[in-house]
């Protein structure tokens, strides 16, 4: 759906067979170049998956790896989970969105993301059973 006030696009993201923090910041900025056309508004980033989330964090300096390590500590991939299909410990992946929500809404000023210096928009995916994800970007302005 496209109008002057509301534009949306779906990104197809391949996360592979390992736990991943995928930086989507460039994709979001490219979307806004087209959709926002210099306007102020909001960017909503949403992933329609029960085992993935959207996080705003620093990447490239180890924070992405630290996040995955922290999630491993909080949500170990063992047999404690009631949800038992898939890879061993897969039930933890279904708890992930309670800690890393499947959405984020960010301010857009003059058509650009209003992020802090070190902030990036990331898809967090600990589910090694599903290597293909979608992320919906929506600009409202």
């Amino acid at each position: 759906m496209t109008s002057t006030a509301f534009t949306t696009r779906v990104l197809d993201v391949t996360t592979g067979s390992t736990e991943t923090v995928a930086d989507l910041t460039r994709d979001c900025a490219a979307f806004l170049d087209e959709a926002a056309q210099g306007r102020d508004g909001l960017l909503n980033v949403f992933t329609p998956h029960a085992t993935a989330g959207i996080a705003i964090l620093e990447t490239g300096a180890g924070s992405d790896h630290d996040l995955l390590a922290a999630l491993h500590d909080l949500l170990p991939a063992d047999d404690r989970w009631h949800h038992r299909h898939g890879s061993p410990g897969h039930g933890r992946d279904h708890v992930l969105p309670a800690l890393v929500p499947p959405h984020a809404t960010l301010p857009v000023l003059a058509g650009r993301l209003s992020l802090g210096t070190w902030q990036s928009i990331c898809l967090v995916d600990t589910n090694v059973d599903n290597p293909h994800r979608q992320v919906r970007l929506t600009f409202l302005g």
Side-chain angles (χ1 to χ4, degrees):
M1 172 180 217
T2 302
S3 75
T4 58
F6 179 89
T7 305
T8 189
R9 173 176 302 147
V10 174
L11 301 175
D12 291 311
V13 181
T14 301
T15 55
S17 60
T18 60
E19 296 179 0
T20 303
V21 175
D23 191 338
L24 305 175
T25 310
R26 286 188 180 142
D27 295 305
C28 293
F31 168 70
L32 289 172
D33 284 344
E34 181 182 318
Q37 299 178 357
R39 295 178 305 203
D40 293 350
L42 296 172
L43 173 67
N44 182 263
V45 183
F46 174 74
T47 187
H49 299 284
T51 59
I54 302 296
I56 309 300
L57 75 151
E58 179 181 12
T59 59
S63 296
D64 40 349
H65 298 291
D66 290 341
L67 173 60
L68 291 175
L71 290 172
H72 249 273
D73 289 346
L74 291 170
L75 305 171
D78 58 23
D79 63 357
R80 74 183 69 201
W81 309 102
H82 295 281
H83 188 107
R84 294 191 185 266
H85 78 270
S87 296
H90 173 66
R92 78 183 195 100
D93 300 324
H94 288 272
V95 177
L96 172 76
L99 302 175
V100 182
H103 59 86
T105 300
L106 301 128
V108 176
L109 301 174
R112 302 275 180 232
L113 282 166
S114 185
L115 291 171
T117 302
W118 304 112
Q119 289 180 316
S120 297
I121 303 165
C122 299
L123 173 67
V124 179
D125 186 3
T126 59
N127 181 359
V128 299
D129 294 335
N130 187 352
H132 303 289
R133 299 302 188 155
Q134 291 188 329
V135 177
R136 178 171 294 280
L137 306 179
T138 304
F139 174 71
L140 179 61

